[in-house]
Amino acid sequence: MLPYFLVLSFVLLWILLERKALNRPAFWVPLGALTLFAGMRSYRVGTDSGNYTKDFRNNLDVYNFEFSEFVEPGYQALEYNLLKYTDSYFWLFFITALIVVSCYLIIIKKYSVNYWFSVFLFITLGVYTFFFNGLRQGLAMAIFALALPYLLEKRLIPYLLICFLGSMFHNSALFMIPFYFVVNVRIKPTYRILATFIGSLLVSGFLISYFAASNERYQSYADADQKGGGYLILGFYTLLLLVIYFVSHIYKIRDKQFMQLFTFYAVGVVFLIPIAMLGANPSGPQRLLTFFTWTLVLILPIVFKRINNAYVTSIAAILFLFYFILTTSTFSKLTPYIINPIFEIF
């Protein structure tokens, strides 16, 4: 865990220093640090990294590269063009990390009421490390994050275009299209959340079967969750949903943007609850959860700003650090962090 804490500490300290010295949110140095940290890792970090780097490690001749109908064309085009020039998987990790981190930081910088705290959550809630495992889906999720302004501004066409762009790396980005209408329909948020839960009860079984049948890579999505990791993570986000809901009522948070963000987060969580009840593999449909939960990096700073209590914020930060330790060290083979052999000095 030490390397993860070091990069977390460095990024947060730099943000504080740049705010104090230049009175601006730090972007380039955190982007560089987080990109390099992800890019310099070994293929042994992350459950799926070995599959993504196989062609590079096997020195595949680009002329023997086979395009597959089961892999999204955007990702295949990226891998193909990289193989033209290099057989080092560092460049695959580096470029994808640059895309992912920059997409999120752009949105965080634009919308966060507390940039430092948002970046802290971005790392500790696992939004940053998600693509260490699901590289293609991580790319799709980060690209989809750029659709947030259009969701909030009710601009359907740009929102759809970004969803289609994300789907070039993972088809799951298309799943986000209906939620534009769920968030922006003129019905009370509570009714929208309830309707989403009921709708999920009706279609969740079909959804899992569709993913499993549409692509051989997703056949494991219909398998049962044997380890319970998916339940723990979903339970954590469900608990946060309830806490935010009650705090927003107690402190009367009625800001329109907050309500849109919270509604988007809430409908995503309640939609995934019936899927989890079916016992689906968390590496499958439950991975869709991150499409929604990343918005906590914007929602929670608003909540804690309204609470305005340093002790409450400090306790919450400790709990998020504990969650970071638990998820990083227990799930998805993120620890130990191993550096790419090309960067080993000794």
Side-chain angles (χ1 to χ4, degrees):
M1 281 299 300
L2 180 60
Y4 292 95
F5 278 116
L6 289 176
V7 73
L8 172 65
S9 301
F10 172 77
V11 168
L12 295 180
L13 179 60
W14 185 272
I15 291 173
L16 287 176
L17 291 174
E18 190 162 328
R19 168 61 69 182
K20 188 173 182 64
L22 301 174
N23 193 30
R24 68 184 185 190
F27 180 84
W28 295 108
V29 172
L31 173 62
L34 294 173
T35 298
L36 282 173
F37 184 76
M40 293 175 65
R41 75 188 191 275
S42 166
Y43 73 91
R44 289 179 288 174
V45 179
T47 52
D48 297 337
S49 297
N51 290 330
Y52 287 115
T53 60
K54 180 173 59 176
D55 289 343
F56 294 89
R57 292 184 290 110
N58 292 336
N59 299 316
L60 178 71
D61 190 314
V62 69
Y63 296 106
N64 295 323
F65 185 88
E66 295 183 2
F67 287 87
S68 171
E69 63 178 307
F70 298 113
V71 181
E72 289 79 359
Y75 177 78
Q76 290 193 85
L78 173 64
E79 183 178 349
Y80 174 78
N81 282 284
L82 285 174
L83 285 168
K84 280 184 177 181
Y85 302 103
T86 180
D87 59 2
S88 173
Y89 65 80
F90 161 76
W91 292 106
L92 175 67
F93 284 168
F94 179 81
I95 291 174
T96 52
L98 184 63
I99 295 170
V100 169
V101 178
S102 61
C103 286
Y104 284 118
L105 288 186
I106 287 170
I107 298 301
I108 292 172
K109 184 179 179 182
K110 181 174 182 179
Y111 288 102
S112 178
V113 299
N114 186 333
Y115 186 72
W116 183 93
F117 193 39
S118 287
V119 174
F120 169 80
L121 293 170
F122 170 64
I123 298 173
T124 56
L125 290 179
V127 182
Y128 165 60
T129 52
F130 179 89
F131 77 100
F132 283 30
N133 292 294
L135 186 62
R136 291 183 300 113
Q137 193 166 358
L139 280 166
M141 289 175 176
I143 292 170
F144 171 74
L146 297 177
L148 183 67
Y150 308 113
L151 176 68
L152 300 178
E153 297 166 10
K154 300 181 181 179
R155 298 172 60 187
L156 177 60
I157 301 303
Y159 182 89
L160 292 176
L161 290 176
I162 291 178
C163 288
F164 283 119
L165 178 60
S167 72
M168 293 294 100
F169 296 90
H170 200 277
N171 288 332
S172 58
L174 297 176
F175 173 75
M176 304 311 296
I177 292 175
F179 290 92
Y180 173 91
F181 304 98
V182 175
V183 171
N184 290 310
V185 68
R186 292 186 177 181
I187 303 174
K188 285 186 177 181
T190 305
Y191 296 154
R192 279 178 271 177
I193 294 169
L194 180 60
T196 301
F197 180 77
I198 295 173
S200 181
L201 283 174
L202 298 175
V203 305
S204 55
F206 168 77
L207 178 66
I208 293 175
S209 299
Y210 170 77
F211 270 105
S214 64
N215 193 318
E216 65 180 12
R217 286 174 171 256
Y218 306 148
Q219 288 176 2
S220 64
Y221 283 15
D223 297 338
D225 175 15
Q226 302 295 333
K227 296 182 180 180
Y231 297 116
L232 177 63
I233 292 173
L234 183 59
F236 172 76
Y237 286 118
T238 302
L239 177 62
L240 279 179
L241 188 160
L242 296 174
V243 170
I244 295 170
Y245 176 81
F246 286 113
V247 170
S248 67
H249 278 71
I250 293 171
Y251 287 87
K252 294 181 172 58
I253 306 176
R254 296 293 182 264
D255 177 76
K256 180 182 178 182
Q257 184 173 295
F258 170 82
M259 293 306 299
Q260 287 177 296
L261 288 169
F262 176 66
T263 301
F264 178 74
Y265 167 72
V267 296
V269 172
V270 300
F271 187 86
L272 269 297
I273 290 175
I275 294 178
M277 291 166 59
L278 291 175
N281 188 327
S283 68
Q286 291 184 52
R287 274 192 175 185
L288 295 171
L289 190 64
T290 310
F291 272 107
F292 303 94
T293 58
W294 78 269
T295 55
L296 285 172
V297 306
L298 303 175
I299 295 170
L300 289 174
I302 298 173
V303 171
F304 286 107
K305 183 179 180 180
R306 184 61 64 90
I307 294 174
N308 194 28
N309 186 303
Y311 294 105
V312 173
T313 304
S314 298
I315 292 171
I318 293 171
L319 292 175
F320 291 134
L321 278 173
F322 179 75
Y323 176 82
F324 180 53
I325 295 170
L326 177 65
T327 54
T328 306
S329 61
T330 305
F331 307 130
S332 306
K333 297 183 180 179
L334 293 177
T335 56
Y337 179 87
I338 305 170
I339 198 168
N340 189 320
I342 66 173
F343 296 105
E344 292 179 352
I345 300 175
F346 301 104

